[in-house]
Amino acid sequence: MTTELSAAERYAAARQRSGKPMLEEFRAKQRFDLDPFQLSSCAELEAGRSVLVAAPTGAGKTIVAEFAVFLAMQSPTTKVFYTAPMKALSNQKFQELVDEYGPEDVGLLTGDTNINSRARIVVMTTEVLRNMLYADSDLLPNLGFVIMDEVHYLADRFRGAVWEEVIIHLPREVRLVSLSATVSNAEEFGDWLQAVRGDTAVIVSEERPVPLEQHILMRSKLIDLFDTSTGSLQGAGDRQASNRVNPELVQMARYGGRTLSARQMKDVGRYHSRGGRYREERLDRAHVVKLLDERNLLPAIFFIFSRIGCDQAVSQVLRAGAVLTTVAERDEIRATVEASVRTIPDDDLAVLGYWDWLSGLERGVAAHHAGLLPAFKEVVEDLFRRKLLKVVFATETLALGINMPARTVVLERLEKFNGEARVPITPGEYTQLTGRAGRRGIDVEGHAVIQWRDGLDPQAVASLASRRTYPLNSSFKPTYNMSVNLIAQFGRDRTKQILESSFAQFQADRGVVDLARKVRSQEESLEGYETALHCHLGDFREYSGLRRELSDLERKGASKATTASRSERDRRQRQMQGLRKRIRQHPCHGCPDREAHARWAERWWRLKRQTDELRRQISGRTGAISKIFDRVTDVLLELDYLVRDGEELTVAQPGRTLRRIYGERDLLVAESLRTGAWSELDSAGLAAMAAALVYEPRRDDAYPADHRLPKGPFRHALDRTTTLWAQLDDLERDHRLPGSEPLATGLSLPMYRWANGASLDSVLEDTELAAGDFVRMTKQTIDLLDQLSIVADSPLDARARAAIDQVRRGIVAYSSVS
């Protein structure tokens, strides 16, 4: 029943609406009315503030980003940059914005893709924006908003520092829209944003728009994880908050998935007394799919932390004869797929397993992982969003923001391999994965299903599922490229202040950030005071310094008039007479505006003294980030990338090259260029070398046999590069830096052959990489070659450009925005 508003309430609501005309116009265009956290966030944006929005996966954070774009487009010139941590997310958002605003106003920059970069709305990876800021790109003027999607990614130990670099270096007038998963320290992160960016509102919501029901699949029975019998527990959120495990689940877990009678309980006791143990019988994947289908719990995403496991799961379900689509759906799937692959030759499709893949799609089943060709992944995502696919077996990369909600999420395991060992998934990872369950406007609730395994502890599962948040911890650390860029722009001292402003330092010592911000603010005031005290007759700061020195002596003389000896008084009198003479002789003494200048000078000296004291406080704190920076600069000084100029550091010619090299091996690339290690390489050999620099092997294949490497100049260049790496590694460890991994050349021969025109099937035979991995690593190779084409001297720059043309072909070039 609708409650009638009073006249006063109607008037208050009308007043509130009238104060936010843009929000009301935007709100009227939406399919759903906005939730309270969305309304609050958008209202803060319209009021001129930056916002940090922390909310669960699937809660609708992106509506805030869309409102920021809407606000920007109300002005004729304001631009908005939309950043995302992954190219797949950038591509998806690009397509969505093109659909909304048209191709003329939307661009895409992902390192290897450049579409309409001068558009009003540009989608990009965070690294691209960082590089633009360091290069002072001509695309930055008129920038009004930057949207940082998945900003909690700054905790990533490999790439997270980029987020902090962008946040610190964006011009202060640019408003920041930070979208984060629910983290337990959102307020702390918001406080840091407030410190480094200014006026920032923190909006936190822990409410899912679609409630999440959580189940355990034991044998062929779906059992609620939490106890639903207590009348006071009204909803999924309440059940989670109670953390009370379903008693039936506890009993079944104890006895291998069986609900037992009293007589059976006695038999179980005798069985256990003889050392026996009941084991659960697990349903295979085909039967799990059938069970979910019968209970109307499809479409579903099965998270399997293995690419091979995902592919095997698809095969198992198809072998069991599963057909989850209608004839009409199969026709629509085939038409979509054929349109998407029409430019790919049949020979390449055969190598990619296209026909088996299409058969699975037509029956409503597919895999989704990084090993798939990007074009294939895009088809899977599109078909799933259109409800044509019913079951997707995916690795956890699918949980990172791609818009693929399901009715049900199934977790086969609660542990995964992290590269070194099998480790339990974290509460944050669990929240991200299960956040895919529940489609807004379609489902009344979402469902998370955990498949039971022998030995699983129901209480531990409930605890994992109940902890809805996780802390956001900085991974920021200075790099060589970052250091030379900052020193070139700001000098060493200012760079240290900037590093003191990082979230990493903020978490280590929150006070340092506030002090550093205050120093920067006071430095700006000092510059203003200096302008006001300027005298056309001479250096008024010098003149005011003489006056202050005289005042200090007069004050000391007055305070010690009765205790000082005669010789002390005489010496002080001589000093004061000398100062008075110098003051009278100073050019500024005759200035008609002398006293007005003097008042500004007094303010300048007073603020200077306060600022110096703040600097002493900062230098007295433990500055972990500054210590790493000092070690990095010591390495760069020893290698002559930086030179000392008195107390300051300046960037030498090699450092200017290093400024434009981005990546894990920035210094090794710069050293290789400086020493001419690659001067003998042809374009294909240069592509093979770039592959060795970017390749991250999934297995221990860093040192293939000599016959598995390109012949000729490549091997000599590799020896020289490896020697440089070893020298840098020793130097880094001498300076208490962690060093780096040796080059991995497992992709060098395949890349060399690909650049020389070899067929896809023969190249993939040379490597254990799946097609999607090969495309991904090739695009990273292209990204490095593109940097070399800019920074390398002739003729290596031309060879890099030729290598790009040779490598960007076939499946690498099929999808222009992947």
Side-chain angles (χ1 to χ4, degrees), residues 384-693:
F384 195 82
R385 284 194 295 269
R386 289 159 55 190
K387 299 177 249 182
L388 295 171
L389 279 182
K390 312 302 180 184
V391 174
V392 169
F393 295 95
T395 55
E396 70 269 29
T397 55
L398 181 60
L400 292 174
I402 296 174
N403 181 25
M404 277 183 65
R407 177 164 295 171
T408 303
V409 162
V410 179
L411 300 180
E412 292 194 349
R413 291 179 179 271
L414 294 178
E415 58 180 26
K416 67 175 186 176
F417 187 70
N418 68 355
E420 299 175 356
R422 297 205 71 84
V423 296
I425 64 173
T426 65
E429 289 168 333
Y430 183 90
T431 300
Q432 284 281 93
L433 296 168
T434 57
R436 295 280 151 225
R439 298 163 301 175
R440 188 168 188 172
I442 301 173
D443 299 320
V444 177
E445 71 270 324
H447 297 267
V449 176
I450 301 162
Q451 198 162 4
W452 182 262
R453 287 181 174 269
D454 192 41
L456 207 59
D457 178 10
Q459 188 59 58
V461 177
S463 176
L464 179 71
S466 299
R467 291 174 59 194
R468 298 289 294 277
T469 60
Y470 56 102
L472 179 62
N473 294 313
S474 172
S475 61
F476 182 87
K477 59 182 183 298
T479 65
Y480 297 112
N481 169 274
M482 182 196 305
S483 298
V484 292
N485 270 296
L486 292 178
I487 288 171
Q489 289 188 27
F490 305 111
R492 181 174 186 157
D493 290 343
R494 179 71 190 281
T495 294
K496 280 201 164 189
Q497 293 174 22
I498 289 169
L499 296 176
E500 297 280 8
S501 299
S502 68
F503 187 43
Q505 185 62 50
F506 186 82
Q507 290 190 301
D509 182 355
R510 292 184 61 164
V512 167
V513 171
D514 293 329
L515 291 174
R517 183 188 178 202
K518 193 169 183 180
V519 165
R520 287 199 302 276
S521 174
Q522 293 187 179
E523 284 176 339
E524 292 173 1
S525 298
L526 285 170
E527 291 174 4
Y529 291 172
E530 207 160 348
T531 300
L533 63 83
H534 174 74
C535 179
H536 66 289
L537 296 177
D539 185 349
F540 200 90
R541 197 167 64 179
E542 178 185 69
Y543 174 73
S544 66
L546 295 173
R547 288 178 51 151
R548 285 181 64 82
E549 191 175 348
L550 177 61
S551 297
D552 289 344
L553 282 173
E554 289 173 341
R555 193 163 47 251
K556 286 179 182 178
S559 64
K560 295 183 178 181
T562 58
T563 58
S565 66
R566 182 179 182 86
S567 62
E568 287 177 356
R569 292 197 298 272
D570 289 345
R571 186 175 67 252
R572 188 177 298 116
Q573 283 296 327
R574 287 194 299 272
Q575 286 177 307
M576 289 190 294
Q577 288 172 4
L579 284 169
R580 291 187 184 106
K581 181 178 179 181
R582 292 174 62 189
I583 288 170
R584 287 192 298 270
Q585 292 175 344
H586 197 282
C588 292
H589 191 66
C591 178
D593 297 321
R594 183 184 68 197
E595 293 311 309
H597 291 330
R599 285 192 291 273
W600 283 109
E602 183 60 30
R603 295 173 189 171
W604 187 92
W605 283 108
R606 190 163 53 244
L607 189 62
K608 173 78 163 50
R609 187 167 58 241
Q610 294 172 2
T611 305
D612 289 344
E613 175 58 29
L614 289 174
R615 288 199 187 98
R616 280 192 292 272
Q617 291 180 37
I618 290 173
S619 64
R621 306 277 181 114
T622 301
I625 302 299
S626 290
K627 288 177 181 177
I628 296 173
F629 171 71
D630 287 338
R631 294 167 190 167
V632 167
T633 56
D634 287 344
V635 169
L636 293 172
L637 280 165
E638 193 161 334
L639 294 171
D640 298 325
Y641 283 81
L642 297 173
V643 293
R644 292 193 185 278
D645 183 6
E647 293 296 314
E648 189 51 87
L649 297 179
T650 58
V651 179
Q653 178 57 44
R656 288 193 281 275
T657 299
L658 179 58
R659 286 188 67 185
R660 294 177 290 174
I661 300 172
Y662 303 95
E664 291 284 316
R665 299 188 184 275
D666 48 6
L667 186 56
L668 178 58
V669 172
E671 277 291 272
S672 299
L673 291 175
R674 181 166 74 155
T675 59
W678 303 337
S679 59
E680 298 175 7
L681 291 174
D682 61 9
S683 55
L686 191 58
M689 183 61 69
L693 289 160

Side-chain angles (χ1 to χ4, degrees), residues 23-38:
L23 175 54
E24 288 306 314
E25 182 181 342
F26 176 78
R27 184 178 182 181
K29 297 179 178 181
Q30 305 307 307
R31 290 189 301 124
F32 307 105
D33 194 17
L34 303 189
D35 291 337
F37 88 89
Q38 295 169 327

